[in-house]
Amino acid sequence: MRISPSTRKFLEEANRIKGYPLSEKLHGYFYMRWPVLYIATATGTNRLGRLAGKVISGFNRIFPPKPPKPEKLTVADTYHGKVVSLESARQLVSVKQAIRVDDLERVIPYKQARSLILDHPEHIVAMDCPCRMRYAEPCLPLGVCIVIGEPFASFTLEHHPQHSRAITSAEAVEILEAEEARGHVHHAFFKEATLQRFYTICNCCACHCAAIQAHKNGTPMLASSGYVAHVDAAKCSGCGQCVKFCQFNAPTLVDGVSFIDPDVCMGCGVCASHCKRNAIDLVLTPEKGVPLEMGKIMEQAAKNA
């Protein structure tokens, strides 16, 4: 059986990870090879996923699952996104040198997939969003998932030639800025099955993004940017733009002034970028986490070199 060059490269990278199980190698291959099918099945938005959901529900009624042990991994520990500001996302797609930082516990507070490794970061691919492709009438454009570095960029181009294209760093920035203008949130995604590390920046809308939907339904798959939006009531005109654009339903209008629930706010900054009165600022909030700031990441990578 012929193995494609990009698949061989993915498997070679996987084999270098000590203790990386065969199940995760196969998991990662399936996820990247058939992402629309994978996500539709996982979220129950196709026939296979709905059937699996019925089977699991029936099984759980007969054999109620035990509460997970504290050390047991959850979905959120193995597949998750870090909310990043537009500026942080710009920096991620503008890296010119290979970097490796394995210790991101404070930035990405999960038990798995905390490495930020950029091998050939100049290799960037725009891919049609698998979450949007699940729907008959998705948000447009589709090509807003930005895959960065190897082996992921080559794998995407080779296996999805009709739904991906190689782009430059400048073109990636244009995609990010256009998605920001649409009110969509930038997420740096990490997944155990994708070699336990960062592999893409997704630009997400609540109407289609599986991760946002899961997060809002109680599965904490997203980590805060480390900031919380704060409204200057004296400047706020009560126009409701922040309410309209927030993907997490954090703002509400109270007596004609915007109020942002700090417990719900993920610190993406979309509300601030759409406030015509400049009444919203992002405030660093340590208890919400540490921002993914590429300047500091690069400094740490240089120290580790």
Side-chain angles (χ1 to χ4, degrees), residues 228-267:
V228 167
H230 174 76
V231 178
D232 184 337
K235 294 181 179 180
C236 179
S237 66
C239 68
Q241 284 291 97
C242 55
V243 177
K244 174 184 175 181
F245 282 102
C246 181
Q247 303 297 326
F248 298 100
N249 305 124
T252 54
L253 292 180
V254 180
D255 297 328
V257 176
S258 176
F259 168 78
I260 297 177
D261 186 339
D263 293 330
V264 178
C265 177
M266 297 296 287

Side-chain angles (χ1 to χ4, degrees), residues 78-296:
T78 60
Y79 173 59
H80 43 263
K82 173 72 171 178
V83 177
V84 295
S85 67
L86 175 59
E87 181 55 34
S88 292
R90 284 195 192 106
Q91 292 173 4
L92 261 174
V93 301
S94 302
V95 174
K96 304 300 182 185
Q97 64 191 67
I99 65 170
R100 180 185 185 106
V101 179
D102 290 315
D103 184 6
L104 290 176
E105 280 91 347
R106 296 176 65 238
V107 178
I108 312 293
Y110 296 96
K111 297 177 183 176
Q112 290 289 325
R114 295 168 303 201
S115 295
L116 179 58
I117 301 171
L118 291 179
D119 180 9
H120 289 289
E122 73 280 5
H123 294 182
I124 306 174
V125 172
M127 181 178 75
D128 288 349
C129 174
C131 291
R132 296 184 189 184
M133 290 176 68
R134 294 179 295 153
Y135 294 85
E137 298 181 3
C139 289
L140 297 175
L142 292 176
V144 297
C145 288
I146 302 174
V147 182
I148 306 173
E150 296 298 345
F152 311 115
S154 293
F155 191 101
T156 301
L157 286 174
E158 184 169 5
H159 291 289
H160 306 287
Q162 296 181 332
H163 295 285
S164 65
R165 61 189 177 93
I167 61 174
T168 64
S169 175
E171 289 173 313
V173 170
E174 289 177 1
I175 291 173
L176 293 169
E177 292 176 344
E179 283 295 281
E180 178 88 8
R182 296 182 187 106
H184 297 161
V185 182
H186 318 295
H187 291 132
F189 271 99
F190 298 71
K191 187 175 177 70
E192 183 180 16
T194 56
L195 308 180
Q196 298 182 335
R197 71 199 217 200
F198 165 78
Y199 64 102
T200 187
I201 296 177
C202 292
N203 297 285
C204 305
C205 57
C207 45
H208 297 104
C209 175
I212 291 181
Q213 291 168 358
H215 190 84
K216 292 170 73 172
N217 288 329
T219 301
M221 294 177 67
L222 300 172
S224 166
S225 71
Y227 291 87
V228 167
H230 174 76
V231 178
D232 184 337
K235 294 181 179 180
C236 179
S237 66
C239 68
Q241 284 291 97
C242 55
V243 177
K244 174 184 175 181
F245 282 102
C246 181
Q247 303 297 326
F248 298 100
N249 305 124
T252 54
L253 292 180
V254 180
D255 297 328
V257 176
S258 176
F259 168 78
I260 297 177
D261 186 339
D263 293 330
V264 178
C265 177
M266 297 296 287
C268 65
V270 168
C271 59
S273 67
H274 286 82
C275 180
K276 298 179 181 179
R277 299 288 294 271
N278 295 319
I280 303 176
D281 292 312
L282 292 181
V283 178
L284 187 62
T285 309
E287 61 268 27
K288 299 284 279 190
V290 177
L292 198 164
E293 297 176 343
M294 284 308 299
K296 294 181 180 179

